[in-house]
Amino acid sequence: MRISRHGLALCLALALPGWALLAQTPPDGKPQALPDKAEQLFALANQARAAEGAGPLRWDPALAAAALKHCLRMATEGPISHRYEGEADLTARAGQAGAHFSLIEENIAVGSHVATIHQGWLDSPGHRANLLNPDVDSVGVAVVAGGGVIFAVADYGRAVQVLTQTQVEAAFGGMLRAKGLLIVKDGAAARAYCANGTKDISQPGYLVRWQNPDVTRLPQELLDQLATGRYRKAAVGSCPPQNVEGSFTIYRVGVLLY
């Protein structure tokens, strides 16, 4: 049996020239979102990734909503932070906004210009690693003006497809069929094993369950068993994930081999 958990929350802050101006100048009215500046940061990020051979980022409206909510909070609070008193953490904020992800990272900054913030992220090893991470494929960016400077938040994620229990079972059932196995129509026994370890009275030859955001690959443990050639049938069951911290989108699956 193997249970895998995936997820990362890496947060980095950067204060650039212009912070002193904020400290000396009281906020001049309500902070204002600047969507055009957010689009500029998004474009600059993809230009930098292309130059480094990393895949392009897709704009994620849910991540953008989470980023904007936090960015407005930064502009109101003053000193930049990834989390303020009474505020949810990054994974919870993104999940509440409707994002589905297996990995999430965040860069924040305050400065005078979009180009300065972008270059500052590239010049900082940790921020650069977030921005150019080949394992992320989506991003939401927010820029807010307040107190004579601009605040920026970029939430990077690896998006996970949202599937129903039936769709998860169908995905793994299809991969097992491609390996030559007959799929048992009644998945109740596999679902029970997935959820609480209950073993089927028909005594399967092997049982395996795991958690993972990826529904396009069978786990190696299962592939090793199939390679023995001892099995002809399989039952597949999906159930809610267990012991997942934050709002990561994870699928839990149980397979019985006969």
Side-chain angles (χ1 to χ4, degrees):
M1 171 176 34
R2 180 176 66 186
I3 300 178
S4 302
R5 290 173 52 197
H6 293 250
L8 171 68
L10 180 57
C11 310
L12 291 165
L14 187 63
L16 297 164
W19 172 248
L21 176 62
L22 175 68
Q24 298 168 7
T25 307
D28 53 355
K30 189 175 181 180
Q32 180 182 3
L34 304 174
D36 58 327
K37 302 296 184 184
E39 291 177 6
Q40 288 178 32
L41 266 181
F42 173 56
L44 288 170
N46 272 333
Q47 289 174 19
R49 288 175 67 87
E52 294 295 324
L57 296 174
R58 175 183 60 83
W59 182 270
D60 187 316
L63 287 178
L68 178 58
K69 186 174 181 179
H70 183 66
C71 201
L72 288 167
R73 183 75 181 265
M74 287 201 312
T76 300
E77 296 281 350
I80 61 174
S81 174
H82 288 284
R83 189 177 185 182
Y84 295 102
E85 184 177 356
E87 185 183 32
D89 66 13
L90 171 60
T91 60
R93 294 198 308 267
Q96 290 165 5
H100 295 274
F101 49 88
S102 60
L103 180 155
I104 192 163
E105 307 169 339
E106 181 173 82
N107 281 352
I108 65 176
V110 58
S112 301
H113 306 286
V114 165
T116 305
I117 289 174
H118 173 70
Q119 191 59 48
W121 284 344
L122 288 179
D123 292 340
S124 166
H127 295 84
R128 181 184 182 89
N130 281 355
L131 196 158
L132 300 179
N133 187 351
D135 291 329
V136 299
D137 57 16
S138 55
V139 69
V141 184
V143 177
V144 170
V149 292
I150 58 174
F151 298 82
V153 176
D155 288 342
Y156 311 94
R158 184 172 185 84
V160 174
Q161 187 178 6
V162 182
L163 300 175
T164 65
Q165 179 186 49
T166 300
Q167 289 172 324
V168 172
E169 292 172 355
F172 286 102
M175 286 184 280
L176 289 169
R177 284 193 189 91
K179 297 290 184 181
L181 273 72
L182 175 68
I183 304 302
V184 177
K185 290 185 178 181
D186 186 357
R191 290 180 190 136
Y193 175 66
C194 175
N196 52 39
T198 302
K199 295 183 179 180
D200 179 27
I201 59 174
S202 60
Q203 294 300 315
Y206 194 82
L207 304 89
V208 58
R209 56 179 174 170
W210 69 95
Q211 293 190 172
N212 199 293
D214 188 355
V215 296
T216 65
R217 292 183 299 176
L218 297 170
Q220 189 60 47
E221 179 180 351
L222 181 53
L223 291 173
D224 291 343
Q225 288 298 316
L226 296 179
T228 66
R230 293 198 297 261
Y231 308 104
R232 296 292 178 264
K233 297 190 299 181
V236 182
S238 177
C239 60
Q242 298 179 9
N243 304 317
V244 177
E245 298 177 3
S247 298
F248 297 103
T249 299
I250 304 291
Y251 298 109
R252 186 176 176 87
V253 182
V255 171
L256 313 181
L257 297 179
Y258 302 92

